Structures are given as structure tokens and as C-alpha cells.
Amino acid sequence: MTYLIVGNNEENIKEEIKRLISKLWERDLNEDIFESKNPDIHILEGSNIKSIGIEDVKNFQKDMVFTPFKELVQIGIVFNSEKLTPQAQNSFLKTLEENSNTTAYILVTESERSLLPTVISRCSKIYTKE
């Protein structure tokens, strides 16, 4: 399962991520998933760097090889996915194609035009309200 959230309002994006995770975990979220240290949420943050390269993606993929610790599904979130280099996106493609029923990826971007068409084609798109 791979989702692409497109939007530029941080609050709306976070609400959409919470809604999606609640659905995937089949439970209400009582905790702040962005503040808590849930072992089944892995975040690749690209806010403080100019690009997210292939090494960043490979390290992220290593975090995602395990089965969920306490939830139904482990979640991998890539904020600022427009910063993924073409090489990083190509490296990520196989992971997106072959992920299991216990793994979900959420890519977040302001503009889907910055992603390769092959990446976009593997995602269910969600547009946030602006």
C-alpha cells in the first residue's frame, strides 16, 4: 500500500496522515503520532536538506524490513518527497512494488510533478484541502 498526499498546508497534511493511519491500524488514534515514539512509524524527513539521495532511501528501507511491532501495519512516511533525487526514486520503486500487507508508505509532496511517473503510478493519491 502506497499513498501520495499532495498539499501545502502542514496542518491539513498531518490530519490526513492521522486519518489514514487510523484506517490502516483499524483504531482511533488517541496519541499524537508525530510526537510519540511508536516503533511502527518510520519517518524520512527531508525538510533540512536540499535533496533526499539514494543512501537516505536505502537506510530508510532497512528500517522498514521488519514486521510491525505492535500495530497491524508499519508506516513509512516520506515528507518532502519532491526532494527525492531521480536515483533515489528509482531505488524506492522496487520497495513500493513489493511491499507486504503489513507495510504502508505515505509520500508527502507539494507537487506531484516532481516525482517520476512510475512512482506516482504506484500510489493512491490523496489531495488535501487548501
Side-chain angles (χ1 to χ4, degrees):
M1 299 170 274
T2 304
Y3 302 90
L4 176 63
I5 297 178
V6 181
N8 60 12
N9 181 299
E10 185 177 344
E11 186 176 316
N12 291 345
I13 289 169
K14 286 186 174 185
E15 283 303 313
E16 194 60 47
I17 290 171
K18 287 179 188 177
R19 186 193 65 73
L20 189 54
I21 291 174
S22 178
K23 179 180 156 190
L24 291 168
W25 286 352
E26 298 177 4
R27 70 175 180 86
D28 290 331
L29 292 178
N30 298 323
E31 71 274 17
D32 182 348
I33 58 166
F34 301 104
E35 296 298 323
S36 66
K37 298 292 182 195
N38 189 310
D40 291 322
I41 295 180
H42 308 274
I43 297 177
L44 177 56
E45 185 74 64
S47 61
N48 296 327
I49 54 177
K50 291 184 180 188
S51 66
I52 302 171
I54 196 165
E55 287 303 315
D56 300 312
V57 168
K58 286 183 179 181
N59 290 332
F60 184 63
Q61 290 167 321
K62 287 178 188 174
D63 289 341
M64 298 293 293
V65 297
F66 304 106
T67 58
F69 182 71
K70 68 177 189 173
E71 305 293 350
L72 295 173
V73 177
Q74 71 173 332
I75 310 288
I77 304 172
V78 182
F79 285 105
N80 302 297
S81 61
E82 67 273 3
K83 293 182 180 182
L84 288 163
T85 65
Q87 297 83 359
Q89 290 181 55
N90 280 319
S91 174
F92 207 27
L93 266 178
K94 187 168 181 149
T95 299
L96 298 179
E97 292 168 345
E98 298 177 355
N99 65 10
S100 70
N101 291 339
T102 59
T103 302
Y105 290 95
I106 301 172
L107 305 177
V108 180
T109 186
E110 289 185 5
S111 171
E112 62 189 279
R113 287 176 277 178
S114 58
L115 298 172
L116 297 174
T118 49
V119 171
I120 294 170
S121 70
R122 283 149 181 86
C123 299
S124 296
K125 295 182 213 168
I126 300 168
Y127 296 94
T128 62
K129 298 175 189 169
E130 300 304 325

